[in-house]
Amino acid sequence: MIVPTHVKRAFKYRFHPTSAQAAELSRTFGCVRKVYNMALAARAEAWTLRQEHVGYNATSAMLTAWKKTQELAYLNEVSSVPLQQCLRHLQAAFTGFFAGRARYPRFKSRKKSRKSAEYTSSAFRFRDGKLTLAKMSDPLDIVWSRPLPQGAKPSTVTVSQDSAGRWFVSLLVEDPSVKPLAANDTAVGVDAGLDHLLTLSTGEKIANPRHERRDRARLAKAQRELSRKARGNGANRAKARRKVARIHSRICDRRRDHLHKITTRLVRENQTIVIEDLSVRNMLKNAKLARAISDAGWGEFRSLLEYKAQWYGREVIAVDRWFPSSKLCSVCGALAERMPLHVRTWTCHGCGAVHDRDVNAARTIKAAGLAVSACGAGIRPQRESSRTGRLATKQESPRREP
């Protein structure tokens, strides 16, 4: 595994802008969205009508021309760096699309899209722990909840506002404290579930906190209040919408904090971590399980695990999603013919071993991952069948949301 010598890490903080700073940032967000949508429309039109490929340089020239028009002269009122950065982000989105890693870029909505702007080093000043952005005279009032690495100098700064109205600033710096951990010979298999969030091949079961269910009554009440407000741009509806967003943000924050703690522990304790290659997007099409699967955060768990493993010199192996982990005996390798979802403990017909369904699945996942890793080959995840349309459904999930 290739371990990066210099790890760039984003440190995210809340800040409280003044009314003038909030107005300036809101204008910047709007201009960024406008430029992104116009550039996306220009690239799509050029390809549709003339089969012409338009890249970043061409859209950058378009931006210069747009600023000279009377209709778009307001683009000159904000810093030019976030506008240029959004064009680079659009170029990266098209690169990912043509490489087959992402969907076709979509237009940014004023109400639903994330409000953010990225500043490079030429558009901000960071001195003595104070950050001042372009077009602003005063530094941001940042809540320094944790210190930056000693002597760190941000290369980029991203300012954002979430749907709950909270302001955040993310500083990208090189973190010298992130170094490969001492190698060990410990490996673990991980089986994801809903009754228990994770089951390890060691027999340990990590409970599912069910963060969303804890606030479900409060969230439902806030959503009912929002539904009664008159549609439009009224202040009462905006207030009700922020109340719903604040509840969602608390749920999301608790879930992310829990997953960070779990993934950090797994990476520190194990050299090799074997997981299932679950297609969470397809699994969310199951109406009965969508809420529980979303609340579990399996996709975020894998994302956190993979980048932390890369940071610290660990290895993450993904086993094929159709691998019969629950039905395969981890002792003798015999395959059971049927394994209904309500069966949580079963006895192998080959060797007579009694298995806990989830623990056995974690152990077979570990064995399969280590076997393929020893051969020097990767485990390629299977895609959804185009002929049958079969969806990747986790066999261990219960039929109904608990």
Side-chain angles (χ1 to χ4, degrees), residues 3-9 173-180 311:
V3 180
T5 55
H6 299 285
V7 173
K8 285 195 172 183
R9 187 175 180 182
V173 301
E174 287 191 1
D175 190 356
S177 65
V178 178
K179 298 178 181 179
W311 279 2

Side-chain angles (χ1 to χ4, degrees), residues 240-252:
R241 186 186 299 112
R242 284 195 299 270
K243 185 176 181 180
V244 173
R246 282 196 296 268
I247 298 174
H248 276 298
S249 64
R250 284 197 297 267
I251 295 172
C252 183

Side-chain angles (χ1 to χ4, degrees), residues 109-184:
S109 167
R110 183 175 65 87
K111 293 183 178 180
K112 297 182 180 180
S113 297
R114 179 172 178 263
K115 301 177 181 179
S116 66
E118 185 177 90
Y119 296 79
T120 58
S121 57
S122 62
F124 67 84
R125 182 174 68 252
F126 185 73
R127 294 177 184 172
D128 301 326
K130 295 183 178 181
L131 177 67
T132 306
L133 302 178
K135 301 287 186 178
M136 295 184 185
S137 57
D138 298 323
L140 300 180
D141 182 14
I142 300 176
V143 180
W144 297 102
S145 54
R146 55 176 175 167
L148 286 172
Q150 187 68 26
K153 295 182 179 179
S155 57
T156 61
V157 170
T158 302
V159 180
S160 61
Q161 185 185 25
D162 66 5
S163 56
R166 302 181 300 177
W167 294 86
F168 295 94
V169 59
S170 180
L171 291 77
L172 186 66
V173 301
E174 287 191 1
D175 190 356
S177 65
V178 178
K179 298 178 181 179
L181 298 173
N184 58 54

Side-chain angles (χ1 to χ4, degrees), residues 244-262:
V244 173
R246 282 196 296 268
I247 298 174
H248 276 298
S249 64
R250 284 197 297 267
I251 295 172
C252 183
D253 290 344
R254 289 198 300 263
R255 180 188 302 118
R256 185 179 298 112
D257 178 70
H258 184 63
L259 293 177
H260 267 296
K261 292 175 181 176
I262 293 174

Side-chain angles (χ1 to χ4, degrees), residues 191-193 195-196 199-201 205 326 344 346 355-363 365 394 396:
D191 177 67
D195 289 338
H196 293 89
T199 301
L200 308 184
S201 56
K205 294 186 177 183
S326 295
R344 311 313 299 176
W346 61 284
H355 296 295
D356 177 284
R357 181 191 185 109
D358 297 332
V359 175
N360 177 73
R363 289 172 179 171
I365 288 171
K394 182 171 173 57
E396 290 76 10

Side-chain angles (χ1 to χ4, degrees), residues 144-389:
W144 297 102
S145 54
R146 55 176 175 167
L148 286 172
Q150 187 68 26
K153 295 182 179 179
S155 57
T156 61
V157 170
T158 302
V159 180
S160 61
Q161 185 185 25
D162 66 5
S163 56
R166 302 181 300 177
W167 294 86
F168 295 94
V169 59
S170 180
L171 291 77
L172 186 66
V173 301
E174 287 191 1
D175 190 356
S177 65
V178 178
K179 298 178 181 179
L181 298 173
N184 58 54
D185 57 355
T186 306
V188 66
V190 181
D191 177 67
L194 295 179
D195 289 338
H196 293 89
L197 181 63
L198 300 173
T199 301
L200 308 184
S201 56
T202 58
E204 178 186 356
K205 294 186 177 183
I206 299 175
N208 186 355
R210 307 184 193 278
H211 300 286
E212 185 271 341
R213 195 167 71 173
R214 289 172 51 188
D215 280 345
R216 185 173 298 177
R218 184 183 303 173
L219 177 61
K221 180 181 178 181
Q223 289 173 331
R224 285 195 300 270
E225 293 175 353
L226 173 61
S227 68
R228 297 189 186 106
K229 305 301 179 183
R231 294 186 178 275
N233 297 323
N236 287 338
R237 185 172 179 84
K239 182 179 179 180
R241 186 186 299 112
R242 284 195 299 270
K243 185 176 181 180
V244 173
R246 282 196 296 268
I247 298 174
H248 276 298
S249 64
R250 284 197 297 267
I251 295 172
C252 183
D253 290 344
R254 289 198 300 263
R255 180 188 302 118
R256 185 179 298 112
D257 178 70
H258 184 63
L259 293 177
H260 267 296
K261 292 175 181 176
I262 293 174
T263 52
T264 299
R265 175 197 154 195
L266 289 175
V267 168
R268 286 177 176 174
E269 295 178 354
N270 303 280
Q271 181 66 33
T272 304
I273 305 167
V274 187
I275 60 176
E276 293 178 283
D277 180 56
L278 299 177
S279 179
V280 179
R281 179 179 296 176
N282 283 340
M283 297 172 68
L284 291 176
K285 296 178 182 179
N286 186 328
K288 294 181 180 180
L289 297 176
R291 171 179 277 181
I293 292 173
S294 297
D295 192 27
W298 292 339
E300 187 172 9
F301 166 77
R302 177 171 177 173
S303 176
L304 297 176
L305 190 66
E306 288 179 337
Y307 83 71
K308 290 180 182 180
Q310 185 180 13
W311 279 2
Y312 297 107
R314 303 308 200 194
E315 182 180 15
V316 175
I317 302 174
V319 174
D320 191 290
R321 65 188 61 157
W322 304 117
F323 178 69
S325 57
S326 295
K327 298 190 293 183
L328 192 65
C329 177
S330 58
V331 177
C332 67
L335 183 64
E337 294 182 2
R338 295 181 66 255
M339 189 65 61
L341 293 174
H342 67 273
V343 176
R344 311 313 299 176
T345 304
W346 61 284
T347 303
C348 176
H349 62 81
C351 63
V354 180
H355 296 295
D356 177 284
R357 181 191 185 109
D358 297 332
V359 175
N360 177 73
R363 289 172 179 171
T364 54
I365 288 171
K366 172 186 173 181
L370 294 181
V372 178
S373 178
C375 296
I379 302 180
R380 298 181 59 187
Q382 290 186 354
R383 302 296 180 185
E384 178 184 343
S385 174
S386 58
R387 293 190 299 172
T388 63

